[in-house]
Amino acid sequence: MRKNLFDLGPVFGYFFRKNDPSRPSNFNLRTMHFINKLSMSMFLVGLLVLLYRWFIR
């Protein structure tokens, strides 16, 4: 179980997956996915800033 703790493959797969024609798509779903990607990106940028402040500065 601990082996998969830092497995980031699904996260990067979420960002770079291609459109699946068998999945339904509408405005609400596209908006939800955009907000999810934006919030994950902002979290990662904030994490990088914190790591920079803790270790580099």
Side-chain angles (χ1 to χ4, degrees):
M1 173 151 175
R2 292 184 185 256
K3 194 187 321 184
N4 296 331
L5 186 61
F6 293 105
D7 184 19
L8 296 177
V11 174
F12 291 120
Y14 181 76
F15 275 101
F16 301 115
R17 69 180 172 193
K18 298 189 183 202
N19 290 338
D20 186 4
S22 65
R23 289 185 181 168
S25 178
N26 59 23
F27 176 76
N28 292 333
L29 192 61
R30 287 191 309 261
T31 304
M32 179 196 68
H33 284 294
F34 172 75
I35 292 172
N36 285 343
K37 289 177 185 180
L38 182 65
S39 64
M40 284 191 283
S41 300
M42 290 175 65
F43 173 77
L44 290 175
V45 168
L47 188 64
L48 290 174
V49 168
L50 284 175
L51 290 173
Y52 172 76
R53 287 183 180 176
W54 287 338
F55 294 113
I56 305 297
R57 242 169 148 188

